Structures are given as structure tokens and as C-alpha cells.
Amino acid sequence: MKSVFGPFIAAVVLALAGGAFWIAGHTESRLADVHKQLATLRYADADTEGDEVEQSLGVERRVPVLGPAAENDVRDARASAGYWRSDYAAIAPHHDANGVVTESDPTILFLSANGAFRASQNATDRGDASRRLDNVVKSYGEVLKTQASGCAAGAQACETRAVDAAYNYEFAIRAREMLARGRPAVTAKNAARPQLRPTDEQDLPSGSTLHGKPGGPPPATDMNQFKIVIPKRGEE
């Protein structure tokens, strides 16, 4: 009896482990598709696929370590897509009944703060702009608090986000002070201006994207001086 019971338990354990790895692999494959859409600047597609993945996470959420990581990954990807689509309402952090921020994901908090700063630039009057900048300062403060309490991402990513949030926090304060003095505020360094999805006639959106600013020849460079040289064949 013992000779049968032992292999049976081992088979069950291996089957459960295999099922968990299969679920994790399937989820990672779907997440890779979401990131591919995001990397190719198809923000609407990334948001749609990310929503489908997030809604379908059932058993995956129960897998230790891998489940919460996958859920955070897809939420971050959707937040990035929403930010670059200028859909700031979609990435607003969660609040409780008293208005206290309950969102604990520093990536979403940071993107939301950047979006709030961009939205403040569309204020119709100085008072409205000042109130919005107050909220921006508080938002960057929440990012720094969350970063200080711990970060699940890599050390380099956490440090980079903390530096950017600290810079933008100080920048938002100075922009608010300049606005109070009657001087126009300028654009933040790290709150990159998002662009909408390109049309069918366009290859890439104009302006900055999540990959940075588009490249091009240096100013005042005559591109006609560059010639295309085609190597000759050996018998020519």
C-alpha cells in the first residue's frame, strides 16, 4: 500500500505544479502581447487587451508571487496606455469614502500625478490652475511616500521613479509659486507630454512618445550631401 500511496502523492504534487506553471506561462504570453501593443504605440489596443487579461485573471491571482505580479503588471500597462492617450480620468488613483488615496501602486500614482499636471495646464483661470497644482503637489507627495514604504519593481526602476517624482514634486511647487506671482508656468521635465494614437496615414505620433522624443538630423544639416553607396559585385 505504501508503495502505491507515495507515487500517487508525488504525481498529484507534480500535476498541481505543472498546472500552476502552465497558467503562469499562458498569462505571461498574454501580458507580452499587451506590452507589444504598448511598445508599438497602439495605446487603445494595449488598453483593450489589458482589460481582457485583467478581467480573465481568476485562478492566476491565487498563484503565489506570480499572481499579484501579473495583476500589477497589467494594471501598470493599462495605466501607461491611458496616460499616453491623455485619458487621465482612467488612471486616477483609488480613494476611500473620506477622499484618502488608497492606491498603493507607485507606477499608477506617478502616471496619475503626471496626468494631473498636464490637465492643470488646460485650466481656464489662475485660481483653477492653482487648485489643480495643489493636487499635483499632493499626488507627487503620495508617490514619494509609497516609494519610501517599499517598491516591488527592480531597484533601478524604483530609484529612477523616485528621482523623477522628487524632481516633479519640486517643479510643481515652483510652478505654483510662479503662477501666484503672475508669471506663466513652464513644462515639467519628466512629465512627458502624451500624444494620441496615430491615424492610418501616420507612422508615428507627433511629439514625444513613451520611447522619448523622435530622432532626426542635426539642425542646419544638408542631408543631400549624404550619398547611398551600393557595393559592386565582384565580377563588375
Side-chain angles (χ1 to χ4, degrees), residues 84-160:
W84 288 102
R85 293 174 62 201
S86 301
D87 188 5
Y88 304 136
I91 60 175
H94 298 153
H95 296 75
D96 60 14
N98 297 322
V100 179
V101 176
T102 58
E103 180 63 63
S104 59
D105 190 329
T107 299
I108 295 179
L109 289 173
F110 183 62
L111 289 172
S112 177
N114 286 347
F117 177 82
R118 289 302 173 197
S120 70
Q121 295 181 314
N122 298 325
T124 56
D125 59 80
R126 183 170 299 177
D128 184 28
S130 180
R131 286 190 295 271
R132 293 191 183 193
L133 285 175
D134 284 337
N135 293 330
V136 170
V137 172
K138 294 178 182 178
S139 297
Y140 283 123
E142 291 293 335
V143 177
L144 295 174
K145 290 179 183 178
T146 306
Q147 288 282 144
S149 61
C151 180
Q156 184 176 1
C158 293
E159 182 179 357
T160 300

Side-chain angles (χ1 to χ4, degrees), residues 2 32 105 120 133-134 166 179 187 189 207-208 210 212 222 235:
K2 292 183 179 180
D105 190 329
S120 70
L133 285 175
D134 284 337
L179 187 65
T187 304
K189 172 185 176 183
S208 299
L210 58 84
D222 183 12
E235 61 272 13

Side-chain angles (χ1 to χ4, degrees), residues 195-220:
Q195 297 291 333
L196 297 178
R197 174 178 174 172
T199 61
D200 294 336
E201 291 77 16
Q202 294 176 314
D203 183 23
L204 294 174
S206 59
S208 299
T209 68
L210 58 84
H211 300 303
K213 296 181 179 179

